Amino acid sequence: MSTTESSSYYDHLEKMSVSELLTNMNKEDQSVPLAVSKALPQLEALIAAIVPRMEKGGRLFYIGAGTSGRLGILDASECPPTYGVPHDMVIGIIAGGDHAIRKAVENAEDDQHQAWKDIQSFGFNAQDTIIGIAASGTTPYVIGGVKAAESAGLLTGCITCNPDSPLAAAVRLPVEVVVGPEFVTGSTRMKSGTAQKLCLNMISTSVMIKLGKVKGNKMVDMQLSNKKLVDRGTKMIMEATGLPEGEASDLLQRYGSVRNAVAAYEQSQNP
């Protein structure tokens, strides 16, 4: 039986106090990182396969429906401002299109042919990677997409919260994070969604680090899109160079990124 659809360990939720609800949800949430830890070897294998492909110009696609699709879009959309990469380097696609980000699109997840059409709308690159995200591991939209991608020779992976699912069987490098029954039976936006978010964080962060987008522990290529980020970048330059705030700020404004500012300073000190 699908563990994501199994009956909750708790019953009569409507009779619980708010304190009891929060305590019990928190107790369940604490089990999620432990489930993710068991999938670390699978995550490592997937990331190790993604990096060399992206070094050759490949892109990373996330495809999903509902909560899974939204989580993929969230992770993809945060890569450009965090790491200064192009918007078409990590791409999130949701069944039903962008309208489905806010409102459910009826039957969109049941179309097994649409995901590949959605992927192809971005053009074809033999080095691309497609990661299907589906808590149940049974979503036709996602399974159809990864099967078509695999047939086209692309690298395929998945993040699912059921063991031995059809989705895992359809990809080359599955990641299975079995979190068990949800607090509200079948509500996979809860523990399953948390597990998927943790995995996506690990995938994109590890990939970006291996692509050289982090120096030390700093986001040296981040976009300077607001005052907070400009201040953060200035402090990074101060730490790396020993310059006072004013000079560090001037360098950042002149060169546009922490990486370029520090490189320019180092070059000026060692002509």
Side-chain angles (χ1 to χ4, degrees), residues 159-238:
I159 303 172
T160 182
C161 297
N162 276 330
D164 305 317
S165 69
L167 176 58
V171 303
R172 207 176 311 174
L173 294 169
V175 175
E176 298 170 296
V177 185
V178 183
V179 297
E182 298 288 359
F183 181 71
V184 175
T185 299
S187 181
T188 53
R189 73 186 188 91
M190 302 186 78
K191 291 194 298 182
S192 296
T194 300
Q196 291 170 335
K197 180 67 167 67
L198 291 174
C199 290
L200 290 167
N201 283 349
M202 290 178 172
I203 291 169
S204 59
T205 303
S206 297
V207 167
M208 292 300 158
I209 290 171
K210 289 302 179 182
L211 291 177
K213 299 300 179 181
V214 172
K215 185 174 182 180
N217 57 16
K218 304 295 193 299
M219 301 176 288
V220 293
D221 291 322
M222 66 181 181
Q223 293 179 358
L224 305 174
S225 56
N226 58 51
K227 185 179 184 300
K228 178 188 73 174
L229 296 179
V230 171
D231 291 343
R232 180 185 295 168
T234 300
K235 290 175 182 177
M236 288 183 191
I237 295 170
M238 292 169 64

